[in-house]
Amino acid sequence: MILLSGSPFETLVLAILAQARPADAVRTVFSRLAAACGGVTPRRVAALPLPHLVQLVRLVGEAKAARLHATAAMLDRRGETAFDRLFGASGPHALTFLMSLPGVATHTAAIVTTIINDVPETVPIDQNLLRVAFRLGLTDHDGGLTKPGIRQVAADLLAYGPDLARVHPLLQQVALDTCTVGVPDCRRCFLADSCRHAAATAYG
């Protein structure tokens, strides 16, 4: 699990680096980037030559270098503290603005807004969270990650209260540790006593 903390821009960079990549690799790359920049800010990342940035992020995917570079340049043009001010004010416009940035789609934007602003009105939905939520009985939607499906699952989860948005990293960790694809390890899962899948299979 990657605990996203720091400035809003640092959180954004971590979220982009973490897309479909293991936590250890993300931590390594972020540390290298921070050392090379002398601190991760839009101006400093934008000032890095793109070939150098490619080398720095190679471990989590070279394609992310161009996206980070373009995003940093866009934010730098808005002013060094503009991104921080945007998230300090919060509101739905922050989510919309995030999704206008290179390499930031719905899931990454939801993660960033949830972490930075403790926003309880959105939940980052991916295949892992969808699987855990369905097995627990928190939603009855077990289809693919279509936009209508994502909206329905998010609505189902948030119907239980805003804390569901805040604990999504824990559910993600359950997906990686015990509630894996295929046969879940219900006997080791601390949520087994509250899980309809575990109850239906009598813990396998």
Side-chain angles (χ1 to χ4, degrees):
M1 184 186 298
I2 301 169
L3 296 179
L4 302 167
S5 63
S7 72
F9 182 67
E10 288 173 323
T11 301
L12 172 62
V13 170
L14 273 168
I16 292 174
L17 294 176
Q19 293 165 346
R21 292 297 183 270
D24 287 346
V26 174
R27 293 188 190 98
T28 297
V29 169
F30 186 82
S31 295
R32 291 174 182 170
L33 180 62
C37 292
V40 178
T41 68
R43 178 159 299 171
R44 292 173 179 177
V45 173
L48 284 175
L50 183 56
H52 188 195
L53 187 55
V54 168
Q55 294 301 316
L56 288 171
V57 306
R58 184 185 297 276
L59 187 61
V60 294
E62 294 181 11
K64 294 181 180 181
R67 298 170 196 157
L68 283 173
H69 202 261
T71 291
M74 288 175 62
L75 296 178
D76 182 45
R77 286 194 293 271
R78 293 173 68 95
E80 188 69 14
T81 63
F83 192 61
D84 291 5
R85 291 199 307 273
L86 173 69
F87 281 92
S90 188
H93 58 286
L95 189 64
T96 301
F97 175 72
L98 271 172
M99 289 190 290
S100 74
L101 299 173
V104 180
T106 304
H107 183 252
T108 300
I111 288 175
V112 173
T113 54
T114 300
I115 297 297
I116 292 176
N117 282 335
D118 193 22
V119 175
E121 290 86 20
T122 184
V123 182
I125 305 293
D126 64 3
Q127 200 65 57
N128 287 326
L129 189 62
L130 179 61
R131 180 176 67 255
V132 174
F134 177 73
R135 286 175 175 169
L136 284 171
L138 299 176
T139 180
D140 284 320
H141 181 84
D142 64 343
L145 290 176
T146 62
K147 287 185 178 179
I150 289 172
R151 286 195 295 268
Q152 182 59 58
V153 172
D156 288 345
L157 294 179
L158 291 173
Y160 290 93
D163 285 344
L164 257 297
R166 299 182 178 110
V167 301
H168 82 272
L170 177 61
L171 297 180
Q172 290 279 4
Q173 194 62 40
V174 170
L176 297 174
D177 287 345
T178 57
C179 199
T180 53
V181 177
V183 180
D185 191 356
C186 298
R187 293 184 183 277
R188 289 199 307 112
C189 183
F190 74 97
L191 293 174
D193 290 340
S194 303
C195 177
R196 71 175 176 185
H197 179 85
T201 59
Y203 288 31

